[in-house]
Amino acid sequence: MTSQKAVFYLVREEILPEAIKKTIKVKELLKRGEVKTINEAVERMELSRSAYYKYKDYVFPFYEASQEKIVTLALLLEHKQGVLSHVLNTIASDHGSVLTINQGIPLQGVANATVSIETADLDVDLEALLDKLRMIEGVKRLEILGQA
């Protein structure tokens, strides 16, 4: 018997078929407790039960795939006092564990930084944390470099 290793792709939502998008939304309704049964969730999303069962074990929001992982972020920060500190405090306030920090010398008023965080104990999903970090004054750019 041969076992195949699962292959994963990161795909933008807008190219997914409606049935897959609705399956993800059904799973979110159930996870948040907004509905009590799968029947109620699929009816609300106007999705057939068979489509839900066909895709449910194969589609996940990005943040779910990132739980209990190490994520490395690349940031472009304004050279102003406290910007990196605010980034680190925001990660810590949501119980992200900072593993490494590297910051380059500021050039032309900005500095590149990379921060690796462990996401196992995050209080929020990764996307919510990234949104918070992007909103910090002085964060010019934020990208995910990789995951382990």
Side-chain angles (χ1 to χ4, degrees):
M1 181 167 27
T2 62
S3 66
Q4 287 184 313
K5 183 179 176 188
V7 177
F8 294 91
Y9 299 95
L10 189 59
V11 179
R12 288 178 59 132
E13 179 184 30
E14 60 259 18
I15 71 162
L16 294 174
E18 279 304 307
I20 292 177
K21 290 192 252 187
K22 287 181 178 185
T23 299
I24 293 168
K25 290 179 181 172
V26 165
K27 290 174 70 171
E28 288 173 354
L29 288 172
L30 290 163
K31 185 175 181 177
R32 289 193 306 258
E34 291 182 30
V35 293
K36 292 190 184 341
T37 66
I38 291 170
N39 267 347
E40 189 180 346
V42 295
E43 283 177 19
R44 186 183 291 185
M45 293 309 307
E46 298 179 357
L47 178 69
S48 71
R49 284 173 48 90
S50 62
Y52 170 75
Y53 283 108
K54 180 178 180 179
Y55 297 121
K56 76 175 184 72
D57 294 327
Y58 299 99
V59 295
F60 308 95
F62 175 71
Y63 64 82
E64 206 170 284
S66 300
Q67 288 178 333
E68 298 185 27
K69 303 233 185 267
I70 296 170
V71 177
T72 301
L73 308 174
L75 301 109
L76 184 64
L77 306 175
E78 251 182 82
H79 181 55
K80 290 190 334 192
Q81 183 176 350
V83 176
L84 180 58
S85 177
H86 194 174
V87 167
L88 299 174
N89 287 333
T90 300
I91 294 167
S93 70
D94 285 333
H95 294 102
S97 179
V98 176
L99 302 174
T100 65
I101 307 164
N102 292 300
Q103 183 176 11
I105 295 172
L107 298 171
Q108 299 175 349
V110 293
N112 287 302
T114 57
V115 178
S116 295
I117 61 172
E118 190 171 30
T119 62
D121 296 324
L122 277 179
D123 289 343
V124 297
D125 63 60
L126 182 61
E127 285 298 318
L129 175 61
L130 297 178
D131 287 343
K132 285 182 186 180
L133 295 174
R134 286 184 182 107
M135 297 300 294
I136 295 172
E137 188 176 332
V139 174
K140 295 296 189 186
R141 186 176 66 232
L142 182 147
E143 297 172 356
I144 296 176
L145 279 184
Q147 299 180 60

